[in-house]
């Protein structure tokens, strides 16, 4: 190995640089999702058509995560991080070329392809950032759980700001100007990250084999299955169902009414994600996990996903009992914020466990495989979000979320606690 490959990076400096890159990416990722969703909803796309726009994003997440661990092991963590940011810039530039005169089919196919590229970018960036934490975090006194919780929580708070930013930009600047603006900002961020990235992170090894991506560790595989259903439970209502429902309730159909609805929806989605990120960052404190053993945290993962299952069941009952009204909307807002709190604890525990279960040598492989399952859950949730809302409205959407959470609980119960 060369000196660059063996030199230990400055932990804090490397952590700050990696986190800054991840923040920049997630800000544009959140804004882009809201821009696309609200813009095409305004153009009259049906719930299932809106879901189609994000399907390739999630499909490419599966493909990327399956291979990203090997790519990072082969070419190095900084290479995959830079690649993720670069691809996102190219995706934004491509999306700015969308022509309003194109037909529905052409528009859907084009946006699906651009979103697919964005999905590749997101998961290259995510895998690189999460793997770096395993190598940089101190191991004593719950340090690993604390550092990964801070990275994950802050990322989601930034993404929440992106949701509001996307809705606000659409209302003020319009679609194309907003996309160009984000591309320019991301170019500046990428240049800064390249300039300030410390040396010493793994540079890759030619001996890394793609077959090593698939883990033989039962806990890694079972946690990945639980993760898939966990994120399916969120995206079933999050991607299409709730934004479309809120838009129908809040907008009067006029241009001014649509703008007001965009702001309100953007604020709700942003607040949800920001609070979700804040809870993730504080999960070790909420669970009193500073001195908890890994088996004890496994049991907490089982318990908390059980609590999660009850929330969408209760909200399903509320939708069936109350007609569409501002009262029902208020119940949904409170219920989904509670869902976000419990979901955030679950997500943070999972993010710790995958790093606890893996080794330094396999970290990029196992994290990539784990986030492939995450992307599979998002794909399943995205498809079922549009499909369930179109077939049975919000009640079926929420009931499907409860079923997905229950499946996550069943998978978590099979984790070995020794």
């Amino acid at each position: 190995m060369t000196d660059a490959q063996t030199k230990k990076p400055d932990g804090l400096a490397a952590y700050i640089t990696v986190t800054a890159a991840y923040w920049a990416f997630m800000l544009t990722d959140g804004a882009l999702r809201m821009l696309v969703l609200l813009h095409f909803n305004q153009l009259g796309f049906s719930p299932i058509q809106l879901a189609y726009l994000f399907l390739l994003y999630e499909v490419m997440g599966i493909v990327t995560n399956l291979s990203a661990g090997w790519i990072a092991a082969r070419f190095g963590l900084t290479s995959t991080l830079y690649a993720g940011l670069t691809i996102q810039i190219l995706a934004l530039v491509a999306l700015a070329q969308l022509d309003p005169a194109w037909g529905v089919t052409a528009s859907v196919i084009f946006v699906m392809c651009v979103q697919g590229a964005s999905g590749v970018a997101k998961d290259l960036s995510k895998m690189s950032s999460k793997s770096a934490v395993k190598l940089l975090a101190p191991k004593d006194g719950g340090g690993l759980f604390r550092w990964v919780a801070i990275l994950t929580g802050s990322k989601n708070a930034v993404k929440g700001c992106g949701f509001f930013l996307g809705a606000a930009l659409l209302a003020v600047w319009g679609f194309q100007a907003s996309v160009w603006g984000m591309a320019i900002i991301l170019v500046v961020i990428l240049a800064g990250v390249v300039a300030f990235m410390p040396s010493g992170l793994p540079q890759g090894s030619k001996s890394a084999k793609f077959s090593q991506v698939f883990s033989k560790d039962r806990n890694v595989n079972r946690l990945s299955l639980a993760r898939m259903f966990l994120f399916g439970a969120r995206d079933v209502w999050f991607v299409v169902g709730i934004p479309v429902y809120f838009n129908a309730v809040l907008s009067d159909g006029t241009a001014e009414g649509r703008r007001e609805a965009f702001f309100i929806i953007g604020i709700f989605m942003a607040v949800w994600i920001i609070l979700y990120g804040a809870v993730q960052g504080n999960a070790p404190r909420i669970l009193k996990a500073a001195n908890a053993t890994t088996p004890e945290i496994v049991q907490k993962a089982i318990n908390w996903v059980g609590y999660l299952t009850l929330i969408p069941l209760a909200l399903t009952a509320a939708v069936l009992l109350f007609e569409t009204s501002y009262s029902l909307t208020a119940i949904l807002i409170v219920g989904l914020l509670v869902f976000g709190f419990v979901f955030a604890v679950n997500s943070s525990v999972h993010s710790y466990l995958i790093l606890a279960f893996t080794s330094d040598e396999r970290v990029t492989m196992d994290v990539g495989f784990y986030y492939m399952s995450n992307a599979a859950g998002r794909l399943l949730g995205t498809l079922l979000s549009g499909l369930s809302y179109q077939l049975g409205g919000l009640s079926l959407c929420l009931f499907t979320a409860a079923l997905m959470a229950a499946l996550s609980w069943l998978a978590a119960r099979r984790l070995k606690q020794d």
Side-chain angles (χ1 to χ4, degrees):
M1 284 191 175
T2 65
D3 291 340
Q5 287 175 306
T6 57
K7 179 184 177 183
K8 182 74 173 175
D10 180 343
L12 182 59
Y15 183 81
I16 290 172
T17 306
V18 167
T19 301
Y22 200 26
W23 280 0
F25 181 91
M26 296 313 297
L27 183 69
T28 62
D29 188 64
L32 182 59
R33 178 169 287 263
M34 287 305 292
L35 276 169
V36 170
L37 179 66
L38 295 177
H39 177 67
F40 284 94
N41 183 53
Q42 182 182 0
L43 295 179
F45 280 40
S46 69
I48 193 66
Q49 287 172 331
L50 291 173
Y52 286 156
L53 297 177
F54 300 104
L55 284 183
L56 195 57
Y57 176 96
E58 306 301 352
V59 169
M60 293 310 298
I62 296 173
V63 174
T64 304
N65 278 305
L66 185 61
S67 56
W70 171 78
I71 293 171
R74 177 67 176 79
F75 298 103
L77 276 177
T78 53
S79 298
T80 49
L81 183 61
Y82 299 156
L85 291 169
T86 302
I87 293 170
Q88 180 76 337
I89 292 168
L90 296 176
L92 288 167
V93 171
L95 192 60
Q97 312 308 312
L98 182 67
D99 190 336
W102 294 350
V104 171
T105 301
S107 297
V108 169
I109 292 173
F110 180 78
V111 176
M112 282 180 67
C113 292
V114 173
Q115 287 289 95
S118 185
V120 172
K122 183 200 75 173
D123 287 297
L124 283 173
S125 300
K126 177 189 286 187
M127 185 280 305
S128 303
S129 302
K130 294 291 180 70
S131 297
V133 173
K134 169 73 174 181
L135 303 173
L136 299 172
K139 304 298 188 290
D140 299 331
L144 179 59
F145 196 175
R146 186 169 63 254
W147 277 45
V148 74
I150 291 171
L151 175 67
T152 305
S154 63
K155 174 267 293 188
N156 282 307
V158 170
K159 186 172 182 177
C161 293
F163 273 81
F164 175 73
L165 177 66
L169 287 175
L170 182 62
V172 176
W173 283 4
F175 185 74
Q176 286 189 315
S178 301
V179 172
W180 274 114
M182 289 193 298
I184 292 169
I185 291 171
L186 208 54
V187 168
V188 175
I189 296 295
L190 175 59
V193 169
V194 172
F196 293 103
M197 178 67 75
S199 61
L201 287 175
Q203 298 300 303
S205 169
K206 293 182 179 180
S207 64
K209 297 179 180 179
F210 183 78
S211 60
Q212 294 173 322
V213 167
F214 299 97
S215 177
K216 296 179 181 179
D217 187 299
R218 291 183 179 181
N219 268 348
V220 168
N221 294 329
R222 289 167 179 173
L223 180 65
S224 298
L225 184 64
R227 183 75 171 189
M228 181 181 76
F229 289 122
L230 178 70
F231 269 76
R234 185 199 66 173
D235 281 12
V236 161
W237 62 265
F238 189 82
V239 174
V240 174
I242 284 295
V244 171
Y245 170 82
F246 281 173
N247 192 54
V249 171
L250 300 172
S251 175
D252 60 8
T254 65
E256 183 64 28
R258 285 195 296 269
R259 278 195 295 272
E260 289 180 1
F262 289 165
F263 271 110
I264 294 171
I265 294 167
I267 289 171
F268 171 76
M269 302 296 275
V271 168
W272 194 95
I273 290 286
I274 290 169
L275 292 178
Y276 160 58
V279 174
Q280 278 188 309
N282 286 283
R285 190 176 306 166
I286 293 169
L287 296 175
K288 299 178 180 178
N291 297 309
T293 64
T294 296
E296 289 172 339
I297 295 176
V298 168
Q299 185 58 52
K300 292 178 187 294
I302 297 169
N303 294 341
W304 278 79
V305 75
Y307 307 150
L308 186 74
T309 305
L310 301 176
I311 300 169
L313 277 178
L315 292 177
T316 302
V319 173
L320 293 174
L321 291 172
F322 296 95
E323 294 183 0
T324 299
S325 63
Y326 287 110
S327 296
L328 175 59
T329 301
I331 292 171
L332 288 170
I333 289 172
V334 173
L336 292 175
L337 289 174
V338 175
F339 181 101
F341 179 89
V342 180
F343 177 83
V345 173
N346 276 283
S347 179
S348 191
V349 169
H350 283 193
S351 294
Y352 161 75
L353 287 176
I354 185 59
L355 296 182
F357 290 156
T358 191
S359 62
D360 287 358
E361 294 74 23
R362 279 198 53 86
V363 60
T364 61
M365 301 288 193
D366 285 343
V367 170
F369 181 79
Y370 165 80
Y371 280 111
M372 178 201 70
S373 301
N374 190 109
R378 292 173 61 94
L379 171 64
L380 185 60
T382 298
L383 179 60
L384 290 177
S385 185
L387 187 62
S388 61
Y389 191 87
Q390 188 149 322
L391 292 177
L394 192 58
S395 59
L396 182 58
C397 218
L398 292 167
F399 183 71
T400 305
L403 289 178
M404 299 287 277
L407 290 172
S408 181
W409 176 75
L410 290 173
R413 281 173 54 85
R414 300 191 65 197
L415 291 171
K416 288 189 175 182
Q417 298 184 44
D418 55 357

